[in-house]
Amino acid sequence: QVFIYEGDNDISSGKTRDEILEDTKMVLDKIWSSDPETEIVLISPKPSVARWNLKEQYLALNTALSDLAEDHENLRFADVWHPALDENGMVMKDIFIQDNLHMNQKGYAIWETTIKPFLKDCK
């Protein structure tokens, strides 16, 4: 089982949704060429106060990644975007450290709740 967090820094650096999607597909192909049974979980880019101005680009990428996951049996999509929004659809401000980009303990607790159901039992 492999978890991939893709797109957050890419969008910020100017990459397009399509470029990120192609990079993602290349990584998936490399993993599956080694072991086609590998389950891969794509973790959506998270929202942040610092990059809220790029919201529409992140949403477009998240939709594309979710759609990609629907097309593959061993690919799943973990949405950490929506759980990090408040009741007004705005990014929560209390889940980040001072830079308003990197998460604090509260932010990572949201990730834990979201991603934990995807984890396979590793006994």
Side-chain angles (χ1 to χ4, degrees):
Q1 192 174 33
V2 175
F3 289 76
I4 300 173
Y5 182 63
E6 180 67 66
D8 197 345
N9 289 333
D10 295 321
I11 286 177
S12 177
S13 70
K15 275 193 168 182
T16 67
R17 179 199 68 206
D18 291 341
E19 290 172 326
I20 298 165
L21 204 54
E22 287 306 310
D23 289 347
T24 302
K25 289 176 182 177
M26 186 174 57
V27 170
L28 298 175
D29 288 344
K30 285 184 179 187
I31 293 169
W32 285 327
S33 69
S34 176
D35 182 357
E37 298 301 313
T38 302
E39 181 182 88
I40 302 171
V41 179
L42 299 175
I43 302 170
S44 71
K46 68 174 176 14
S48 67
V49 176
R51 295 180 176 165
W52 192 244
N53 62 311
L54 301 170
K55 171 187 170 188
E56 296 306 319
Q57 292 172 51
Y58 283 108
L59 289 173
L61 177 60
N62 285 342
T63 298
L65 294 173
S66 177
D67 290 348
L68 181 63
E70 289 180 18
D71 292 339
H72 296 278
E73 182 178 336
N74 290 330
L75 186 60
R76 300 175 74 195
F77 179 74
D79 178 10
V80 296
W81 179 278
H82 289 95
L85 302 179
D86 65 20
E87 62 278 355
N88 298 315
M90 300 297 291
V91 63
M92 294 179 196
K93 294 184 174 152
D94 63 343
I95 62 172
F96 300 98
I97 62 172
Q98 284 184 321
D99 66 3
N100 283 320
L101 177 62
H102 298 94
M103 294 184 300
N104 60 25
Q105 186 174 356
K106 185 176 178 180
Y108 282 113
I110 292 169
W111 273 48
E112 179 182 7
T113 300
T114 303
I115 293 171
K116 195 172 187 176
F118 291 92
L119 291 171
K120 287 186 174 182
D121 189 21
C122 300
K123 289 184 180 178

